[in-house]
Amino acid sequence: MSLPLPAEISLETLTPEIVAKTIDHALLKPDMTIDEVIAGCKLCAQYQTASVCVKPCDVKIAAKTLQNTGVDVGTVIGFPHGNTPTKVKVFEALTAIEDGAVELDMVLNIGLLKSGHLSQVQDEIAAVTSAAKAKLPSCCVKVIFECSLLTDEEKISACRLCEKAGADYVKTSTGFSTGGATINDLKLMRAHTSDVMHVKASGGIRTLDYLIECLQAGADRIGASATAAIVDEMRARKS
């Protein structure tokens, strides 16, 4: 769960607590061990991040580790390429919720989007979103674009499709492709979504200064693995 962001975002108006609550701490490396996942979850509890984002196979252990800590458990759907069939993404989403996830970051079907099959892309997002929210009304659904693979026109189309499909967030990238979050992409996504929609920046955000730049460009949530370094730097500057 996030904290409200100040109306004007700057080093002066942010606090370490607010910064930590913008972060979804990523534990998604394919070679990550169970012990590393547990340690990462404990770090989230210590720093009080918004959530942890783990692989689907790690949702149960994350939910157990973070029980009653105030840190939400999230996972990824169709990750990292978005190529699994819709029914598989829906199954992944429902299984993740059963295992304890309350936030889902799903990768849209990039190939269908680039092929211009926009109604199919929207239908898939809607299928995952409606199934997830029917099972858990408070479930937060974020849709990953993989912006480095898309044109600006495709990003704008994706923003509109996500909003029509009922998703909660649009998200820049998986962190496992050819690029991460850019300020231009965040501004574009913010400009082409309504105030109801949120924007998540993910991929390559390793410093406090860049996190603040992303928030200023329109992001509400940040996907990062350098959580400790970022929040510790904020504490040091504030002191």
Side-chain angles (χ1 to χ4, degrees):
M1 181 181 295
S2 300
L3 292 174
L5 289 171
E8 185 175 335
I9 295 168
S10 67
L11 183 65
E12 289 69 31
T13 61
L14 293 169
T15 66
E17 293 75 21
I18 292 174
V19 168
K21 281 297 185 186
T22 67
I23 296 174
D24 294 340
H25 184 65
L27 300 173
L28 297 170
K29 291 181 180 178
D31 58 345
M32 188 165 277
T33 67
I34 295 298
D35 286 344
E36 288 173 323
V37 172
I38 293 171
C41 289
K42 289 180 178 178
L43 183 145
C44 290
Q46 176 187 347
Y47 282 84
Q48 280 297 294
T49 60
S51 78
V52 67
C53 189
V54 297
K55 294 173 290 186
C57 61
D58 294 328
V59 170
K60 282 186 179 180
I61 191 67
K64 180 179 179 181
T65 306
L66 288 167
Q67 189 173 9
N68 300 321
T69 64
V71 177
D72 289 337
V73 175
T75 192
V76 286
I77 306 297
F79 194 84
H81 301 305
N83 296 332
T84 47
T86 299
K87 64 181 179 181
V88 176
K89 289 182 178 177
V90 170
F91 180 80
E92 273 192 290
L94 297 178
T95 301
I97 293 170
E98 289 171 4
D99 288 346
V102 298
E103 299 198 355
L104 306 175
D105 290 31
M106 68 164 288
V107 187
L108 60 72
N109 191 308
I110 300 162
L112 281 180
L113 179 65
K114 294 190 74 67
S115 299
H117 296 177
L118 303 186
S119 61
Q120 289 178 256
V121 176
Q122 181 178 325
D123 288 347
E124 178 172 272
I125 298 167
V128 173
T129 301
S130 61
K133 290 183 180 292
K135 192 170 187 68
L136 181 68
S138 61
C139 185
C140 179
V141 179
K142 308 169 200 152
V143 181
I144 307 172
F145 289 7
E146 208 66 277
C147 286
S148 63
L149 304 181
L150 305 178
T151 66
D152 284 355
E153 290 74 18
E154 289 163 347
K155 295 166 198 172
I156 292 169
S157 293
C159 284
R160 292 170 177 161
L161 298 175
C162 289
E163 190 142 15
K164 290 177 182 177
D168 301 292
Y169 276 79
V170 291
K171 177 179 170 182
T172 57
S173 39
T174 62
F176 288 83
S177 186
T178 56
T182 71
I183 300 305
N184 285 341
D185 283 340
L186 290 168
K187 289 180 177 179
L188 183 75
M189 293 162 79
R190 183 69 281 170
H192 290 90
T193 49
S194 73
D195 292 341
V196 176
M197 291 289 288
H198 300 282
V199 178
K200 178 174 173 179
S202 184
I205 304 167
R206 301 183 181 91
T207 67
L208 174 62
D209 288 334
Y210 197 51
L211 180 145
I212 293 173
E213 281 190 67
C214 289
L215 296 178
Q216 291 170 335
D220 307 285
R221 195 78 71 87
I222 305 293
S225 56
T227 299
I230 290 169
V231 179
D232 286 349
E233 184 178 357
M234 185 68 181
R235 289 172 178 168
R237 292 199 195 180
K238 283 294 189 179
S239 66

